[in-house]
Amino acid sequence: MLMASPLRGFTTIEILLALTLGLGVSLAALVLCSSGNRVVAGLVRSQASLQELLAAAELWRGEWRGVGHDPAGTSGAGVSRATVDTLEFSGDWNGNGTLLPTGSNPNERLAHALPPGEWKRGVNGGPRLPLAWPDSARFVYRDTSGTDLGPRPDPDRIASVEVRAFASSGGPAFSLSWVAARRVAP
């Protein structure tokens, strides 16, 4: 008669070795997921920053194209201040001959400012509220021939403006520029 050998289980050493290997694999997977999450979070921040900049630029571009709109010819609409970090301008959108805000159009005097780390917009001399947060940005002014007019140009000579912005937002860095021309020739 044959005797069956007794069933044998795992030794303590074998169990500890399996637990240690399992823990090592789990930690490696956790580190990999963690670094992947950081990369994805950086990309999301960069994308959000880019979208913020694009929205601010489109708003500015639409407003800048109408600078100097003055159907009555009595409002004095145009560029009132132009530096590398500030652009103040107006347009008589409601055609009433003055640059006073009305219920139908409260945005006749506009200002865009690019202090370090911000893009701000102000309406009718009110506070300038943040639109976007590029790391740096500046205005570049050009005349009708495309010549750079320098950091403090004569407002009457400005035909187009370029905004140059740089942002990193903790993720990949990018730089962008937008150019917009006036509808009303200087």
Side-chain angles (χ1 to χ4, degrees):
M1 176 165 189
L2 291 173
M3 283 192 101
S5 63
L7 294 175
R8 188 179 136 134
F10 293 104
T11 66
T12 305
I13 298 285
E14 289 171 331
I15 291 174
L16 286 175
L17 182 61
L19 286 173
T20 303
L21 288 174
L23 182 62
V25 169
S26 296
L27 284 175
L30 184 62
V31 166
L32 183 62
C33 288
S34 175
S35 65
N37 285 343
R38 281 193 301 273
V39 168
V40 169
L43 291 173
V44 167
R45 280 190 307 274
S46 290
Q47 183 64 26
S49 181
L50 174 61
Q51 291 302 318
E52 222 172 58
L53 276 172
L54 291 174
E58 277 309 305
L59 177 64
W60 162 78
R61 187 184 315 211
E63 292 172 346
W64 170 252
R65 285 185 178 150
V67 65
H69 179 74
D70 189 5
T74 59
S75 71
V79 179
S80 55
R81 183 172 178 212
T83 66
V84 294
D85 62 356
T86 302
L87 177 58
E88 295 176 4
F89 54 93
S90 57
D92 184 13
W93 299 113
N94 56 16
N96 66 358
T98 64
L99 295 177
L100 299 174
T102 64
S104 63
N105 191 352
N107 302 330
E108 291 197 323
R109 292 181 298 131
L110 300 164
H112 284 265
L114 303 173
E118 290 183 287
W119 184 330
K120 293 182 173 185
R121 175 182 182 260
V123 177
N124 296 316
R128 293 183 181 171
L129 303 174
L131 291 176
W133 290 268
D135 293 332
S136 66
R138 69 186 202 104
F139 292 111
V140 178
Y141 304 99
R142 303 191 189 287
D143 64 12
T144 53
S145 68
T147 303
D148 187 336
L149 296 173
R152 293 190 177 273
D154 174 5
D156 295 330
R157 293 188 57 214
I158 300 172
S160 65
V161 179
E162 177 183 4
V163 174
R164 294 180 183 166
F166 172 80
S168 65
S169 302
F174 55 89
S175 62
L176 300 166
S177 68
W178 299 269
V179 177
R182 294 168 74 161
R183 282 192 193 131
V184 178

